[in-house]
Structure formats: structure tokens, C-alpha cells
Amino acid sequence: MCARPNRRAVLLGLLGGGLAAAMPSYIVLTHPAVSTASPIPGLPDGLIPDGLLPAPPPPPDPSAIAAKYADVVPHEWGLAVTGTNTRLAVPGRRIALTFDACGGPQGDGVDADLLAMLEREKIPATLFLNSRWIDANPALTAQLATNPLLELANHGTRHLPLSVTGKSAYGITGTTSPAEVIDEVWVNHNRLHTITGTPPRWFRPGTAHCDEVAASIVRDLGEQVVGFTVNGDAGATLPVAKVQAAVTSALPGSIVIMHVNRPAGATAEGLAPAVSQLRSTGVEFVTLSGAGGLA
């Protein structure tokens, strides 16, 4: 009895014969290196020649971006300007919990109870880390970067409102030019990329305020500005009952903002019962990257 040829041998034989003439010209049949990515019909075992893999986009050019916006005048300022994402694009039954770590004077603390509760209850969350907070907590930052429940996002270099004209929020003067906007975003972007191995996707300005020109600059740098739908702890100043009430008021599709840098606040104590209550109604908690898009 003759041995039955295996499928791979048959396909390779076809590729070497008449089928090869019908293959698109961009398929390099003689390329020796392959990558195990998604299958391409007609190639055996889902192997893709490296020459067919899409090239990564070129890195942003901060100087070119600064020049692009040098004379652009903003017309919006606030928490939800054009280019700011404040909700999940496909709500379903999902809510995104986000936590700012602002850093700086009286802002370098760690709410260990909150982090422990997120871990204990297996709650996915997105943490927006400011460079100053990372400076104060480098070992913890490295630990957070390895936690599969958590996603680290960009909260800026100096925790400034993001403006091209120096607008202020809560008494904090913002960036004053496109170049300063880029510095506020890009320095911490590169730092988080080094820590996590992945470039951050999301940016929240200090105070969450920006103008629409700054939001466009952030997008050109490869991130998206993220605001919020529900203010869960008002800068970790709310008492337990009000934190619980604020979080449980979140409707599906909401992005909730809270803080992880103020251990004296009542965020953890108010969030725990709110999470239990929301989960009992079928709510699922997701990171921003796990939300399927923002709006």
C-alpha cells in the first residue's frame, strides 16, 4: 500500500507548481523566515512570510507635530472638549473604573486598601500615573505593570492642564504652547513605554482639563484623551456614602474617575459596596483597552 501524502506536502507541492502562477505577486514563496500569525488562505498551517506582515507605523515626530499646530487657535476649554472620550463606545453592561495617581506635594501617597480591594475582588481597572508619582513609587509602579488586572495609562509629566495658550484649572496654570503640550505628554509616554514594554494608549490631563487643539496633538502622538462620565470620589474628598452613591449611579458605558494616591480618603471603603451592588445587576468592569472602543 502506498503511503498517503500529508496535507502540508500536497499544499507545498501545489505552491511549487501550477498554483504558484496564480498566486498574487506580493506573496514571496521563497522567503525562508515565517511567523505564526493569522492564517492566509492558501498557505499551509497558517504560516505567513515575514515580508507580508504589516509594517509598524512610524514613530511620531514631536518637532513636526509642534510645527503643525503652531498657529492653530483653540475655541474650546473644559472637561469634554472635541477629541475627549468620556464614555465607552459599546456600553453593553460594562463600566470602566479609572484611578488617577497625580503625584507632587501631598499627592505621592498610595491607597493600599484600594489596590488590595481591586486585587481581592478581581476588578480590572485603568490607572493613570503621573511621572511625579512614578518617581515617588518606582517599585510599586513596576509591580503594577505586571498585574494582568491593571492597565497603566498616562497622566502627564507635571500634572498640568493641557492647553496651547496657558489656560488654568483649579488654580493650576496649564501648558502654554504646542511644544509644552508635547512635553507634558511625551516624556511620561516614553517612561511608561519603558516600564510596561507597551506604549500607553490613553492620556488624562492634570485636572482633566484641555482644549481641542491639545487633544488633537495627543492623538497625533498616538494616544487618546480620556475624560469621565462619573466623578466617583471628587479627588478622594468624598465620604464613604457619597463615593458609594456616585459609583452606583454609573450607567452602562460610563467611565468613572477616582484616585489611588490619597490613602486618607474614603475611596476604597465606598467603592467596595458599590462594586458588589453593580455586579449584582450584571455589570462587568473592564479596562479602557478591554472596552471595545471609547466615545
Side-chain angles (χ1 to χ4, degrees):
M1 180 181 294
C2 296
R4 182 180 180 181
N6 63 44
R7 176 177 175 272
R8 178 182 177 88
V10 172
L11 287 174
L12 287 174
L14 289 172
L15 286 175
L19 182 59
M23 294 294 287
S25 60
Y26 60 78
I27 293 183
V28 183
L29 299 177
T30 59
H31 199 295
V34 294
S35 174
T36 54
S38 300
I40 289 180
L43 287 182
D45 301 332
L47 298 178
I48 300 178
D50 283 349
L52 296 184
L53 295 176
D61 181 347
S63 297
I65 294 172
K68 174 182 176 180
Y69 292 96
D71 299 317
V72 181
V73 178
H75 301 285
E76 302 176 45
W77 175 250
L79 297 170
V81 302
T82 301
T84 298
N85 298 276
T86 61
R87 298 187 56 81
L88 309 185
V90 184
R93 298 294 300 168
R94 295 172 294 180
I95 289 174
L97 300 180
T98 68
F99 300 88
D100 289 0
C102 306
Q106 302 179 336
D108 287 338
V110 177
D111 191 338
D113 291 341
L114 174 58
L115 291 174
M117 190 270 291
L118 294 176
E119 182 69 27
R120 183 176 63 252
E121 299 297 330
K122 304 302 179 188
I123 303 170
T126 302
L127 274 54
F128 284 88
L129 307 186
N130 179 258
S131 189
R132 302 175 305 171
W133 191 88
I134 296 172
D135 285 340
N137 303 281
L140 176 58
T141 301
Q143 180 182 348
L144 295 173
T146 66
N147 190 327
L149 285 171
L150 305 177
E151 172 183 36
L152 303 190
N154 190 351
H155 198 30
T157 304
R158 295 182 291 160
H159 195 258
L160 302 179
L162 213 61
S163 167
V164 295
T165 59
K167 282 189 173 291
S168 300
Y170 308 127
I172 302 173
T173 301
T175 50
T176 62
S177 67
E180 285 194 12
V181 168
I182 291 169
D183 184 73
E184 177 67 11
V185 177
W186 199 239
V187 172
N188 203 43
H189 173 102
N190 288 329
R191 188 167 191 186
L192 285 165
H193 190 176
T194 298
I195 292 168
T196 67
T198 304
R201 298 179 61 187
W202 318 111
F203 183 87
R204 178 173 285 152
T207 75
H209 282 69
C210 68
D211 62 42
E212 82 279 15
V213 177
S216 187
I217 291 172
V218 173
R219 186 170 60 251
D220 284 0
L221 289 170
E223 299 189 37
Q224 295 185 49
V225 175
V226 177
F228 56 91
T229 323
V230 174
N231 191 338
D233 67 1
T237 64
L238 296 181
V240 172
K242 289 191 175 182
V243 172
Q244 181 178 353
V247 176
T248 54
S249 74
L251 299 175
S254 293
I255 298 173
V256 181
I257 183 175
M258 289 170 284
H259 291 74
V260 71
N261 64 312
R262 296 190 178 274
T267 301
E269 293 80 3
L271 179 61
V275 163
S276 178
Q277 183 175 339
L278 288 170
R279 277 180 164 167
S280 71
T281 67
V283 165
E284 175 190 4
F285 296 102
V286 295
T287 64
L288 294 177
S289 291
L294 307 185

